Amino acid sequence: QVQLVESGGGLVQAGGSLRLSCAASGLRFSRYAMGWFRQAPGKEREFVAAVRWNDASTRYADSVKGRFTISRDNAKNTVYLQMNSLKPEDTAVYYCAAAPTSSLLQTGSGDYWGQGTQVTVSS
């Protein structure tokens, strides 16, 4: 069955960096749009970034643009989220998602979701 497994979360100080990874199995990774969402306590899950399968174009939430970079390695069935210049407001559980199209993914309608990895940014 399809599994998305996130890793790379942790505790960092403001201004630091983390690189999240999402390893996918059980799906044809190269034909899925991949993305990242996050959810902070008491808040709705929000879109962070996405990368399309066909042209590898990327999309970012305004709150992370210029600081985060999403990328994918189809040979490794892995999507990454490089997070730089982290802020306390970036603290959340980060979820990996997959969907046949980027539009479905970005609206929270991804077919598959990982269990999440905790990112905590201290001030």
Side-chain angles (χ1 to χ4, degrees):
Q1 59 187 36
V2 174
Q3 285 193 320
L4 305 178
V5 181
E6 301 96 335
S7 62
L11 174 64
V12 298
Q13 290 187 320
S17 298
L18 284 174
R19 190 192 193 199
L20 305 183
S21 298
C22 173
S25 62
L27 80 167
R28 191 166 182 173
F29 182 83
S30 63
R31 292 295 182 268
Y32 277 78
M34 302 295 298
W36 293 91
F37 287 73
R38 66 187 182 186
Q39 187 168 23
K43 296 183 178 180
E44 297 290 327
R45 189 190 306 176
E46 65 174 343
F47 169 77
V48 176
V51 57
R52 298 177 70 182
W53 66 265
N54 56 337
D55 61 0
S57 62
T58 57
R59 176 81 157 78
Y60 299 94
D62 289 341
S63 59
V64 307
K65 189 173 293 184
R67 299 188 298 120
F68 292 9
T69 302
I70 187 171
S71 61
R72 65 190 297 162
D73 187 337
N74 289 344
K76 297 181 179 179
N77 284 7
T78 302
V79 62
Y80 306 95
L81 186 68
Q82 178 67 46
M83 305 185 295
N84 299 325
S85 301
L86 283 162
K87 305 175 181 179
E89 51 263 44
D90 294 319
T91 295
V93 176
Y94 283 71
Y95 297 92
C96 179
T101 67
S102 59
S103 60
L104 285 172
L105 188 149
Q106 293 175 27
T107 59
S109 300
D111 284 358
Y112 307 105
W113 296 87
Q115 294 300 306
T117 185
Q118 178 71 49
V119 172
T120 302
V121 184
S122 62
S123 59

